[in-house]
Amino acid sequence: MESKRKKIFASKIGGIPSYRVVSIDALRGFDMFWIVGGAVFFVNLLALFNIHTAQFGHSAWNGFTFWDLIFPLFIFIMGLSMTYSIGKRLERGESRKNLYIHIVKRTLILFILGLIYNGLLDFNFAAQRYAGVLQRIALCYFFASIIVMNASIKWQAIWAAIILLFYWGIMMLIPVPGFGAGVLTPTGNLSAFIDQHFLPGSFCCYRFGDNEGIISTIPAISTALIGVLAGHWLQTSFSQLKKVLGLLLGGIAFIFIGLLWNFVFPINKLIWTSSYVLYASGWSLLLFCLFYWLIDVRGWQSWAFPFVVIGLNSITIYLCTALFNFSIIANIFIHGFSPHLGIYQPLFLVICTLAVEWFFLYFLFKRKIFLKV
């Protein structure tokens, strides 16, 4: 273990001190920032200069954009955090039975919150979307946790590889009626076929299947496990600089392997291909490497505080932005003069809405209120 740990933020949850690595929470907050308004801010900002970019939208099919990184980055961070949360519980001597109960409870709560996010309380079950972001996070958390609880670090890595190879195999070898085997078009891929026949309700975000569908969730488990492996690396006795170098080389290696795999199994976010897992995980590792180096190695933490506030309540703000319109609150204070801002009005509204969201989270932060599911 390192002789000295850089300053970290601390909170008390249920009376038990919970010490958190700042770079992890900061990166989670950075990731969530784009979801709750950061992307809209930059779209409006660039529009003022007549710059339009596809980077803030998902790829139509094969390919990769900045926006395609946001979701796998969150799952990667979840896996990264898992080594601390589960590890600390085991260190405290908590029984494995209690840990399993906690895992199942958290999985169910996340899954139900995902259904609520998708409109469960509308009680329109025919149009309900049963898959979703939180549902995928819940399932990835469950299966990755079970693997972490029952497998050595070596076997956790092996399981991550097996899952990716298994998904590649079934997508390429199992024939889809009317199309055949190895067809990776929107209409002819196995993931879409499974969703059409076994996933009720409505789909997102392409009409032939769901982008968080049934079997495309399988490789996402490996995304979480790669985060777990990064967490294990972070807790080794190696020096901080060696850890940074390991994260850097790992990120570069995953990007390279993902690009190679892309030739036979294209990088595709909508069906979460194995090459997409490695490519996105590579960029996730590089981003975490940067945050870890700046915050925990160099000790430059002040700039990260706004992101930490978001990161400590990421699920809270994700749900709240879906259930409440923060721009209404912002508009209370700016409606009198914002119409006079001309072309700057949309950008100004986004800035004010982001401010309202952040101060809401800061209020929770100051009172040590964190949504833990």
Side-chain angles (χ1 to χ4, degrees), residues 263-294:
F263 288 107
V264 292
F265 197 26
I267 294 172
N268 186 304
K269 191 266 181 189
L270 289 171
I271 54 175
W272 211 280
T273 55
S274 302
S275 58
Y276 169 73
V277 170
L278 293 183
Y279 190 72
S281 295
W283 284 111
S284 299
L285 280 165
L286 292 183
L287 266 175
F288 178 63
C289 176
L290 177 63
F291 273 63
Y292 179 70
W293 180 75
L294 290 173

Side-chain angles (χ1 to χ4, degrees), residues 14-31:
I16 301 173
S18 177
Y19 297 96
R20 310 179 66 94
V21 179
V22 180
S23 53
I24 297 178
D25 285 318
L27 183 57
R28 187 188 298 107
F30 171 82
D31 191 50

Side-chain angles (χ1 to χ4, degrees), residues 168-176 179-185 188-190 264-266 271:
W168 181 34
I170 63 174
M171 289 292 285
M172 300 302 292
L173 299 177
I174 297 179
V176 175
F179 294 94
V183 177
L184 298 176
T185 63
N189 72 86
L190 179 65
V264 292
F265 197 26
I271 54 175

Side-chain angles (χ1 to χ4, degrees), residues 329-348:
I329 300 174
N331 202 47
I332 292 174
F333 300 97
I334 66 172
H335 71 277
F337 62 88
S338 62
H340 302 289
L341 297 176
I343 61 173
Y344 300 102
Q345 181 182 4
L347 179 63
F348 185 67

Side-chain angles (χ1 to χ4, degrees), residues 89 97-113 138 141-142 372-373:
R89 285 173 176 266
K97 177 183 177 181
N98 287 342
L99 265 174
Y100 284 126
I101 292 173
H102 168 77
I103 290 168
V104 171
K105 178 182 176 181
R106 189 181 191 199
T107 299
L108 290 174
I109 293 174
L110 279 170
F111 200 94
I112 293 170
L113 287 175
Y141 170 78
F142 176 79
K372 297 294 175 185
V373 294

Side-chain angles (χ1 to χ4, degrees), residues 147 151-163 222 225 229:
I147 292 173
S152 66
I153 296 176
K154 175 184 175 180
W155 272 100
Q156 290 168 25
I158 292 173
W159 270 113
I162 288 174
I163 289 169
S222 288
L225 287 175
L229 294 172

